[in-house]
Amino acid sequence: DAGVIQSPRHEVTEMGQEVTLRCKPISGHNSLFWYRQTMMRGLELLIYFNNNVPIDDSGMPEDRFSAKMPNASFSTLKIQPSEPRDSAVYFCASSLTGGRTEAFFGQGTRLTVV
Amino acid sequence: SQQGEEDPQALSIQEGENATMNCSYKTSINNLQWYRQNSGRGLVHLILIRSNEREKHSGRLRVTLDTSKKSSSLLITASRAADTASYFCATALSGGSYIPTFGRGTSLIVHP
C-alpha cells in the first residue's frame, strides 16, 4: 500500500481565496483524522471521521473550515475564505479502529496564506 | 488543550548515548502511543502501549507506562545520528472516541 496520500504537498494562496486539501487514506482503514501543526499550537485535531461519518469536529476553528468524506477512499478539508493565520502544515491520518490502533500519517500539506 | 505533554522540550546527546523522553497526561487512557517526526515529514508510529501494560520493547526502543502517575517514558538506547527527530506521545482517552491527542513533542538531536 502506498500509505496515506495527501495533495498538494505545498499550497501558497492569497488571503480570501478558497483552499482545498485532499487525502486518500489507506485502503481498509475506517478512521480518518485531520490535524493541523503550527509552532505555536503544536499538533491539533481538527476533525475525526469514522466509517465516513464525522464523529468529532470540535477542533474545527470556525465556519470557514469544512471537511467531507464522500467515500472510504477520499476526504477533503476546505478553507473558505483563507486567512494568513491559517498558515500551517495540515496532516491527514488514517487507522483501522480510531485511536485503539496506530495511526498512519500522510506527508502533510504546507499551506501558506499571504 | 493537549492531553499529553512531553519533557524535556529539547534533548541534545552524543551518538551512542541513551535518550530518555517523558510524557505526562491528565486523565484515564485506553492507550498511549509514541511517534517520531523527521523535519518536514509526517509522523511515524513507533510503539503503542495499552493501559494494562507496563513495558514494551521494539528494537532499541523501550516504553514504560505508569498509570498511577499518569506518565510514560520512551528510551532510545545506543542512539544514532539518524534518530535525530521530534518525538511525540499521543493519548487515547478511555470512554470516548479514542482520538489520539498529541503533546508538543521532544526535539532530539544526536550528534555524530
Side-chain angles (χ1 to χ4, degrees):
Chain A
D1 201 315
V4 176
I5 300 173
Q6 291 187 246
S7 65
R9 288 294 309 278
H10 303 273
E11 177 80 37
V12 180
T13 189
E14 292 185 345
M15 181 173 62
Q17 296 297 306
E18 177 180 297
V19 175
T20 299
L21 311 181
R22 296 172 175 80
C23 175
K24 176 178 167 53
I26 292 174
S27 177
H29 283 188
N30 65 10
S31 298
L32 184 140
F33 311 88
W34 282 100
Y35 288 90
R36 178 173 67 176
Q37 187 176 37
T38 61
M39 289 295 293
M40 289 294 294
R41 300 174 70 87
L43 201 63
E44 304 173 279
L45 176 76
L46 298 177
I47 188 168
Y48 160 53
F49 290 90
N50 190 51
N51 292 323
N52 312 338
V53 176
I55 302 300
D56 187 338
D57 65 354
S58 58
M60 295 287 263
E62 48 201 272
D63 291 345
R64 297 186 297 107
F65 285 68
S66 63
K68 295 182 179 179
M69 192 164 186
N71 56 63
S73 60
F74 184 65
S75 177
T76 60
L77 178 68
K78 184 178 294 186
I79 308 172
Q80 165 65 14
S82 57
E83 296 182 1
R85 59 191 169 122
D86 301 329
S87 297
V89 181
Y90 291 81
F91 288 103
C92 174
S94 70
S95 72
L96 276 172
T97 53
R100 297 175 191 264
T101 54
E102 63 188 293
F104 293 81
F105 279 74
Q107 292 299 304
T109 295
R110 181 174 295 276
L111 173 65
T112 303
V113 183
V114 298
Chain B
S1 62
Q2 270 87 5
Q3 159 74 338
E5 291 295 337
E6 295 87 347
D7 171 67
Q9 290 188 351
L11 186 58
S12 181
I13 60 174
Q14 294 295 127
E15 211 167 28
E17 295 180 340
N18 295 342
T20 300
M21 288 158 269
N22 303 296
C23 173
S24 59
Y25 57 92
K26 298 174 183 175
T27 56
S28 296
I29 60 171
N30 174 274
N31 66 71
L32 187 144
Q33 304 176 37
W34 284 91
Y35 290 79
R36 184 188 73 230
Q37 184 180 33
N38 290 89
S39 180
R41 308 294 296 272
L43 280 75
V44 174
H45 184 266
L46 297 175
I47 289 183
L48 181 152
I49 186 166
R50 303 197 185 281
S51 59
N52 60 353
E53 299 176 309
R54 292 297 168 259
E55 187 171 314
K56 284 190 92 167
H57 296 257
S58 177
R60 293 184 297 112
L61 306 181
R62 171 178 170 252
V63 168
T64 61
L65 178 64
D66 187 334
T67 54
S68 67
K69 295 181 179 179
K70 293 186 170 56
S71 67
S72 173
S73 67
L74 169 66
L75 169 66
I76 304 173
T77 60
S79 62
R80 306 166 181 168
D83 295 328
T84 295
S86 292
Y87 292 81
F88 295 85
C89 69
T91 50
L93 301 184
S94 297
S97 300
Y98 305 103
I99 299 171
T101 304
F102 288 83
R104 291 188 174 278
T106 292
S107 176
L108 173 66
I109 297 176
V110 182
H111 299 279

